[in-house]
Amino acid sequence: MFLGKVIGNVWATKKYQQLKNMKLMFVQPINASYEETDEPIVAVDTAGSGPGEIVYYITASEAVLPLPVNFAPVDASIVGIVDSIYSEE
Amino acid sequence: MFLGKVIGTVWSTKKDEKLVGAKFLVVRKLDLDLNEKNDFVVAVDSVGAGEGEVVLVATGSSSRQTHFTQDKPVDAVIMAIVDKLDIAIKQLEQEKEEL
């Protein structure tokens, strides 16, 4: 699982049929001190997140598990919205 | 998934027999401002993407989770054609700078 900040949406009407009415969000990966750690990615949103919110997301083929369909080409999906982060660093 | 732009096609007759009928498109990665990065993938097309179109590419074993690419040696698939990008946060930050 990774931390990220939702920074926008992607609209795509023409997509793989199983991905109909799924929200595609731009996510900026961050670390526990909210610093940007990697290139932004696009993830399917399953937690109802919006731009500006801190979320956590999963990648690789497990990303399809929280989706209502069990077979879709998705390699990142947002699974939760973060309330607060406590870290020792 | 990452943002990419279709810039070409790969034709190959001699290939793994499971890949017969696959359309290989060369997709260059894009950053959020749609500038081309010098990184690309060859992806199997599953939505009928054409040259010049901005697309989304799923990579890794997730790319085998389509009817066509199932159980095939594929690690990148084009699974969406982008209509519009909406980077709210970027506009917000730009406005703050202008104030």
Side-chain angles (χ1 to χ4, degrees), chain B residues 8-9 11-12 15 24 26-27 30 47 60 65 67 72 83 87:
Chain B
T9 310
W11 306 96
S12 154
K15 57 195 171 197
F24 299 116
V26 183
V27 180
L30 297 178
V47 282
Q65 291 176 152
H67 299 302
K72 290 191 172 141
D83 302 328
I87 320 274

Side-chain angles (χ1 to χ4, degrees), chain A residues 3-39:
Chain A
L3 285 172
K5 177 176 186 176
V6 178
I7 56 174
N9 306 64
V10 178
W11 311 100
T13 35
K14 204 159 178 323
K15 53 186 175 226
Y16 191 68
Q17 65 275 28
Q18 257 86 358
L19 297 174
K20 261 202 321 299
N21 48 51
M22 283 193 199
K23 263 169 63 183
L24 293 164
M25 313 296 285
F26 267 119
V27 178
Q28 168 59 57
I30 57 171
N31 59 24
S33 347
Y34 301 94
E35 289 143 0
E36 293 184 7
T37 55
D38 204 341
E39 306 266 335

Side-chain angles (χ1 to χ4, degrees), chain A:
Chain A
M1 278 186 182
F2 299 97
L3 285 172
K5 177 176 186 176
V6 178
I7 56 174
N9 306 64
V10 178
W11 311 100
T13 35
K14 204 159 178 323
K15 53 186 175 226
Y16 191 68
Q17 65 275 28
Q18 257 86 358
L19 297 174
K20 261 202 321 299
N21 48 51
M22 283 193 199
K23 263 169 63 183
L24 293 164
M25 313 296 285
F26 267 119
V27 178
Q28 168 59 57
I30 57 171
N31 59 24
S33 347
Y34 301 94
E35 289 143 0
E36 293 184 7
T37 55
D38 204 341
E39 306 266 335
I41 60 158
V42 177
V44 173
D45 174 42
T46 70
S49 65
E53 289 192 302
I54 305 296
V55 293
Y56 52 97
Y57 63 94
I58 52 177
T59 57
S61 50
E62 287 73 22
V64 75
L65 297 176
L67 303 184
V69 297
N70 51 21
F71 195 61
V74 168
D75 63 11
S77 54
I78 295 168
V79 288
I81 298 173
V82 172
D83 297 328
S84 66
I85 303 173
Y86 169 76
S87 97
E88 298 275 310
E89 274 152 22

